[in-house]
Amino acid sequence: MEAAPDEDDIVAALRGMGLAGPQEAVALTPLSGGVSCDVLLAAWDGRRVVVKRALPKLRVEADWRAPAERSQAEVAWIEFAAALQAGWVPRVLGQDRARHLFAMDYLDYPVWKARLAEGHVDALFAAEVGRALARIHASSARRVDLARAFANDAQFHALRIEPYLLHTAAANPDVGAAIRVLADGVAASRIALMHGDVSPKNILCGTEGPVFLDAECACYGDPAFDLAFCLNHLLLKAAWHPADAKALLTAFRALKNAYLAGAAWEPRAELERRTAGLLSALLLARVDGKSPVEYLTDAASKDFVRAHAKSFFVRPPATLDELSGPYFASAMAR
Ligand SMILES: Nc1ncnc2c1ncn2[C@@H]1O[C@H](COP(=O)(O)OP(=O)(O)OP(=O)(O)O)[C@@H](O)[C@H]1O
Ligand SMILES: [Mg+2]
């Protein structure tokens, strides 16, 4: 475990950014999450602000490091999304590059993960997530300026390719070669701007639709990675709560269809095939990678996920329906 955040330093940063006055007493409360960062709610004089500071070593059991400069990538991604639709992200209030932190509006909304865990599976919301994600990818596709601004390949490798794909490949020699091909494909892609962590725990259910958080892995690359990363959580939730599998399938289709409807930057069949491949690997990664989902604890659920993920390497699905149909049908039958 890292040491507790240096509160005096955070308060000094808030004053330095011109947010808190020199005399104001600032109360800091850690927010949930915080695997890779200190995320704190700062309150003073009726104001509530979130401060996010990147840590050089992530709080997971495995040794997993990444440069703290990723804080700047996160702010840049938020600003890109805000220019498309302000409500899709929290407003950035200030940045302290030397301290690797930034401040943003505190938004008092539930995270999508919590809603899904309660069995509240809203397909309309899932469609909004898909639509927003496609718009962000479409607006960033084939943009040389963004490819240069978000050439964060080393960070993406450290935070995504190695822990999710290569670690999983090493743990599963039977499908390792196929996963390494997928990893190489993502690393070589320069198609659109990836958020890099589109997970329900990083999406707030706002009154006007989804709000995306946690873009510290943002990198120019393969939009299929984001789509697969997000859809994966709907598969995993069905292994966790089979009673919700039918609703999760509806949400999966709604998200996927809304996304594909907005994806015109490349042939959809190719995009979908790549997404299905990455989804197979990421599904396996969430039981055998460096960051397994914490809620699949029993061996039967892990085996269920592992067996399905591996079956997709034996007969690679060309479409997301080909992948999700048999998976959710088996989840419903559990
Ligand atoms: N602007 C915000 N408004 C409200 N809640 C927020 C805000 N930013 C972060 N949070 C809360 O704090 C949690 C952690 O934030 P974030 O995901 O950005 O940090 P992280 O350290 O990268 O976390 P993790 O590695 O666990 O995903 C979020 O899941 C959310 O619950
Ligand atoms: Mg997060």
Side-chain angles (χ1 to χ4, degrees):
M1 273 281 173
E2 295 286 320
D6 180 346
E7 299 208 349
D8 291 344
D9 202 39
I10 303 255
V11 174
L14 284 166
R15 299 201 208 289
M17 290 185 283
L19 293 172
Q23 306 304 328
E24 256 142 1
V26 180
L28 296 173
T29 321
L31 286 172
S32 59
V35 171
S36 60
C37 294
D38 287 323
V39 184
L40 301 152
L41 176 60
W44 70 94
D45 194 25
R47 219 173 151 188
R48 290 196 291 179
V49 161
V50 174
V51 178
K52 181 166 178 180
R53 180 177 210 167
L55 300 170
K57 182 183 182 304
L58 275 60
R59 291 187 180 111
V60 288
E61 272 179 39
D63 189 15
W64 182 357
R65 289 166 194 274
E69 282 71 24
R70 62 189 189 278
S71 182
Q72 288 170 33
E74 175 156 16
V75 171
W77 187 91
I78 294 175
E79 285 171 350
F80 177 77
L84 297 173
Q85 188 155 313
W88 283 343
V89 278
R91 193 164 48 120
V92 173
L93 304 171
Q95 193 177 6
D96 185 331
R97 287 174 185 241
R99 289 185 170 96
H100 307 301
L101 65 77
F102 70 99
M104 62 187 137
D105 276 338
Y106 172 71
L107 300 170
D108 194 7
Y109 300 134
V111 291
W112 192 24
K113 178 180 180 179
R115 307 274 289 162
L116 292 171
E118 288 161 5
H120 188 99
V121 185
D122 181 347
L124 289 176
F125 184 81
E128 281 302 301
V129 170
R131 194 181 68 80
L133 196 56
R135 175 90 194 286
I136 291 164
H137 290 159
S139 307
S140 64
R142 313 289 180 202
R143 290 256 315 258
V144 177
D145 57 330
L146 293 174
R148 206 173 293 130
F150 288 91
N152 304 323
D153 300 66
Q155 297 195 31
F156 196 79
H157 183 90
L159 290 163
R160 289 291 169 269
I161 305 240
E162 198 286 321
Y164 286 86
L165 298 177
L166 300 182
H167 190 90
T168 305
N172 292 278
D174 50 336
V175 293
I179 295 177
R180 275 188 283 273
V181 169
L182 292 166
D184 290 346
V186 175
S189 284
R190 299 285 179 273
I191 300 171
L193 178 57
M194 300 181 285
H195 170 285
D197 200 358
V198 186
S199 149
K201 78 174 173 156
N202 291 329
I203 299 173
L204 299 176
C205 301
T207 44
E208 303 294 316
V211 181
F212 294 88
L213 303 172
D214 206 0
E216 67 189 88
C217 299
C219 181
Y220 208 79
D222 189 350
F225 185 89
D226 276 350
L227 178 60
F229 203 87
C230 189
L231 289 173
N232 192 25
H233 288 275
L234 300 176
L235 298 180
L236 292 160
K237 298 289 177 294
W240 184 28
H241 290 158
D244 294 333
K246 193 161 182 272
L248 287 160
L249 169 60
T250 307
F252 183 103
R253 286 200 180 125
L255 198 161
K256 181 259 297 179
N257 289 338
Y259 181 91
L260 291 175
W265 59 84
E266 63 175 287
R268 287 199 187 102
E270 170 55 20
L271 175 63
E272 209 178 335
R273 193 195 52 73
R274 259 188 356 263
T275 307
L278 286 167
L279 184 49
S280 311
L282 290 171
L283 185 60
L284 189 57
R286 287 313 196 141
V287 288
D288 286 340
K290 263 194 193 173
S291 183
V293 285
E294 80 292 352
Y295 51 80
L296 290 184
T297 49
D298 61 302
S301 296
K302 288 187 201 179
D303 285 343
F304 173 85
V305 167
R306 204 177 278 123
H308 275 86
K310 290 197 175 185
S311 76
F312 302 139
F313 285 97
V314 178
R315 277 172 150 259
T319 67
L320 290 164
D321 283 339
E322 263 177 49
L323 184 152
S324 60
Y327 179 91
F328 282 106
S330 320
M332 282 176 227
R334 281 185 83 206

PDB file of all heavy atoms in Angstrom, residues 33-34 36 52 197 201-202 213-214 216, ligand 2:
ATOM      1  N   GLY A  33     -12.885   3.585  -4.911  1.00  0.00           N
ATOM      2  CA  GLY A  33     -11.983   3.367  -6.052  1.00  0.00           C
ATOM      3  C   GLY A  33     -10.560   3.679  -5.619  1.00  0.00           C
ATOM      4  O   GLY A  33     -10.158   3.335  -4.511  1.00  0.00           O
ATOM      5  N   GLY A  34      -9.824   4.329  -6.476  1.00  0.00           N
ATOM      6  CA  GLY A  34      -8.481   4.740  -6.100  1.00  0.00           C
ATOM      7  C   GLY A  34      -7.446   3.648  -6.184  1.00  0.00           C
ATOM      8  O   GLY A  34      -6.593   3.518  -5.318  1.00  0.00           O
ATOM      9  N   SER A  36      -5.390   3.357  -8.885  1.00  0.00           N
ATOM     10  CA  SER A  36      -4.226   3.918  -9.568  1.00  0.00           C
ATOM     11  C   SER A  36      -3.967   5.363  -9.181  1.00  0.00           C
ATOM     12  O   SER A  36      -2.992   5.949  -9.624  1.00  0.00           O
ATOM     13  CB  SER A  36      -4.441   3.840 -11.078  1.00  0.00           C
ATOM     14  OG  SER A  36      -5.579   4.579 -11.425  1.00  0.00           O
ATOM     15  N   LYS A  52      -7.963  14.554  -8.246  1.00  0.00           N
ATOM     16  CA  LYS A  52      -7.446  13.249  -8.653  1.00  0.00           C
ATOM     17  C   LYS A  52      -5.946  13.367  -8.896  1.00  0.00           C
ATOM     18  O   LYS A  52      -5.502  14.185  -9.687  1.00  0.00           O
ATOM     19  CB  LYS A  52      -8.173  12.761  -9.910  1.00  0.00           C
ATOM     20  CG  LYS A  52      -7.685  11.391 -10.343  1.00  0.00           C
ATOM     21  CD  LYS A  52      -8.582  10.732 -11.366  1.00  0.00           C
ATOM     22  CE  LYS A  52      -7.972   9.398 -11.774  1.00  0.00           C
ATOM     23  NZ  LYS A  52      -8.735   8.664 -12.739  1.00  0.00           N
ATOM     24  N   ASP A 197     -10.442   2.870 -20.508  1.00  0.00           N
ATOM     25  CA  ASP A 197     -10.987   2.239 -19.296  1.00  0.00           C
ATOM     26  C   ASP A 197     -12.498   2.448 -19.226  1.00  0.00           C
ATOM     27  O   ASP A 197     -13.032   2.907 -18.220  1.00  0.00           O
ATOM     28  CB  ASP A 197     -10.300   2.834 -18.063  1.00  0.00           C
ATOM     29  CG  ASP A 197     -10.415   1.933 -16.829  1.00  0.00           C
ATOM     30  OD1 ASP A 197     -11.051   0.863 -16.923  1.00  0.00           O
ATOM     31  OD2 ASP A 197      -9.886   2.311 -15.769  1.00  0.00           O
ATOM     32  N   LYS A 201     -17.728   1.013 -13.780  1.00  0.00           N
ATOM     33  CA  LYS A 201     -17.343   1.716 -12.545  1.00  0.00           C
ATOM     34  C   LYS A 201     -16.782   3.107 -12.849  1.00  0.00           C
ATOM     35  O   LYS A 201     -16.589   3.902 -11.931  1.00  0.00           O
ATOM     36  CB  LYS A 201     -16.387   0.881 -11.703  1.00  0.00           C
ATOM     37  CG  LYS A 201     -14.982   0.889 -12.175  1.00  0.00           C
ATOM     38  CD  LYS A 201     -14.083   0.150 -11.198  1.00  0.00           C
ATOM     39  CE  LYS A 201     -12.724   0.061 -11.848  1.00  0.00           C
ATOM     40  NZ  LYS A 201     -11.622  -0.097 -11.015  1.00  0.00           N
ATOM     41  N   ASN A 202     -16.534   3.359 -14.122  1.00  0.00           N
ATOM     42  CA  ASN A 202     -16.038   4.673 -14.529  1.00  0.00           C
ATOM     43  C   ASN A 202     -17.081   5.476 -15.293  1.00  0.00           C
ATOM     44  O   ASN A 202     -16.751   6.431 -15.987  1.00  0.00           O
ATOM     45  CB  ASN A 202     -14.780   4.521 -15.392  1.00  0.00           C
ATOM     46  CG  ASN A 202     -13.608   4.023 -14.577  1.00  0.00           C
ATOM     47  OD1 ASN A 202     -13.504   4.312 -13.397  1.00  0.00           O
ATOM     48  ND2 ASN A 202     -12.734   3.264 -15.214  1.00  0.00           N
ATOM     49  N   LEU A 213     -15.700   8.940 -16.616  1.00  0.00           N
ATOM     50  CA  LEU A 213     -14.595   9.296 -15.718  1.00  0.00           C
ATOM     51  C   LEU A 213     -13.363   8.489 -16.110  1.00  0.00           C
ATOM     52  O   LEU A 213     -13.441   7.565 -16.909  1.00  0.00           O
ATOM     53  CB  LEU A 213     -14.947   8.914 -14.273  1.00  0.00           C
ATOM     54  CG  LEU A 213     -16.212   9.481 -13.650  1.00  0.00           C
ATOM     55  CD1 LEU A 213     -16.442   8.811 -12.295  1.00  0.00           C
ATOM     56  CD2 LEU A 213     -16.114  10.989 -13.493  1.00  0.00           C
ATOM     57  N   ASP A 214     -12.243   8.831 -15.491  1.00  0.00           N
ATOM     58  CA  ASP A 214     -11.087   7.930 -15.426  1.00  0.00           C
ATOM     59  C   ASP A 214     -10.438   7.624 -16.786  1.00  0.00           C
ATOM     60  O   ASP A 214     -10.272   6.458 -17.152  1.00  0.00           O
ATOM     61  CB  ASP A 214     -11.523   6.629 -14.731  1.00  0.00           C
ATOM     62  CG  ASP A 214     -10.366   5.939 -14.057  1.00  0.00           C
ATOM     63  OD1 ASP A 214      -9.245   6.463 -14.138  1.00  0.00           O
ATOM     64  OD2 ASP A 214     -10.584   4.870 -13.465  1.00  0.00           O
ATOM     65  N   GLU A 216      -7.352   8.038 -17.697  1.00  0.00           N
ATOM     66  CA  GLU A 216      -5.889   8.161 -17.583  1.00  0.00           C
ATOM     67  C   GLU A 216      -5.131   7.237 -18.532  1.00  0.00           C
ATOM     68  O   GLU A 216      -3.927   7.395 -18.718  1.00  0.00           O
ATOM     69  CB  GLU A 216      -5.438   7.950 -16.145  1.00  0.00           C
ATOM     70  CG  GLU A 216      -5.640   6.561 -15.649  1.00  0.00           C
ATOM     71  CD  GLU A 216      -5.391   6.475 -14.155  1.00  0.00           C
ATOM     72  OE1 GLU A 216      -6.332   6.695 -13.383  1.00  0.00           O
ATOM     73  OE2 GLU A 216      -4.263   6.188 -13.787  1.00  0.00           O
TER      74      GLU A 216
HETATM   75 MG    MG B   2     -11.974   4.287 -12.022  1.00  0.00          MG
END
